[in-house]
Amino acid sequence: MAVKDRDRFSTATRLRLLGEQTAARVYRSQTKRQARRSRLTGRAALLALVLCTMIVALAYPMRQYVSQRAEIADLQRQREQARERVEQLRDLKARWQDDAYAEQQIRRRLHYVKPGETGYVVIDPGAARQSRADLGAAHRPWYANVWDGVDKSDASDQ
């Protein structure tokens, strides 16, 4: 027994036991971690696969749904605008069926006057000068207009 007790308390034996205990603890913790990690990783991978599949499967129909809803909203807005335009045209048609309104528009637009009335047309002098300048440029050759434009731009730089 004395040899066995002495062997039990020797440094080499104690170090060997300590190493075995540490290795057993490390091995146990690694196997627990690996088992836990592999289970969690498998579940996470499956969940990720299912989510990706759902996203891919629903992406195109959702895009179609959103674009169709936008198109429906545009068509409804166009329908409302068309309905308003129809109402305006109906009002205008009803006004033109009134003889007094038709006479007023004819007198204003076509400058008609009743017998015994004197008609006057007032012309804005600035507009008359502008129309004469435009008329003069229209009857000249194109290259004369180009050179006049070059001369005007050169004069404005100075």
Side-chain angles (χ1 to χ4, degrees):
M1 275 251 238
V3 176
K4 202 173 201 183
D5 286 336
R6 194 177 97 198
D7 192 34
R8 188 173 119 196
F9 292 113
S10 72
T11 306
T13 307
R14 286 195 334 215
L15 284 175
R16 187 171 36 82
L17 285 173
L18 185 62
E20 289 173 3
Q21 290 171 356
T22 306
R25 271 190 255 138
V26 168
Y27 179 72
R28 259 185 301 178
S29 67
Q30 283 180 348
T31 56
K32 286 181 183 177
R33 242 187 265 141
Q34 287 174 352
R36 194 176 332 128
R37 185 180 296 153
S38 66
R39 237 184 320 152
L40 184 62
T41 305
R43 287 181 185 168
L46 183 63
L47 180 64
L49 180 65
V50 168
L51 285 176
C52 289
T53 305
M54 295 296 289
I55 289 171
V56 168
L58 294 176
Y60 185 73
M62 285 302 293
R63 187 173 62 105
Q64 291 290 10
Y65 174 76
V66 169
S67 66
Q68 287 175 359
R69 293 304 299 172
E71 187 176 346
I72 288 171
D74 288 342
L75 290 174
Q76 286 175 344
R77 188 172 9 88
Q78 288 176 4
R79 184 184 66 195
E80 288 301 318
Q81 289 173 351
R83 186 175 292 151
E84 290 173 5
R85 180 69 178 142
V86 166
E87 288 298 319
Q88 290 172 354
L89 290 174
R90 283 184 183 152
D91 291 343
L92 186 62
K93 180 182 175 185
R95 276 190 264 151
W96 275 102
Q97 288 177 348
D98 182 22
D99 290 337
Y101 179 78
E103 181 182 340
Q104 175 191 16
Q105 291 299 314
I106 290 169
R107 290 174 65 120
R108 186 175 66 84
R109 292 181 184 186
L110 301 176
H111 305 289
Y112 277 23
V113 291
K114 289 184 179 180
E117 291 180 352
T118 304
Y120 295 98
V121 177
V122 179
I123 299 175
D124 183 22
R129 269 189 248 117
Q130 179 69 26
S131 67
R132 271 189 252 122
D134 290 343
L135 187 63
H139 291 296
R140 295 174 33 192
W142 65 270
Y143 50 85
N145 292 334
V146 170
W147 281 117
D148 285 346
V150 171
D151 289 338
K152 286 180 186 177
S153 67
D154 189 36
S156 67
D157 289 342
Q158 294 174 354

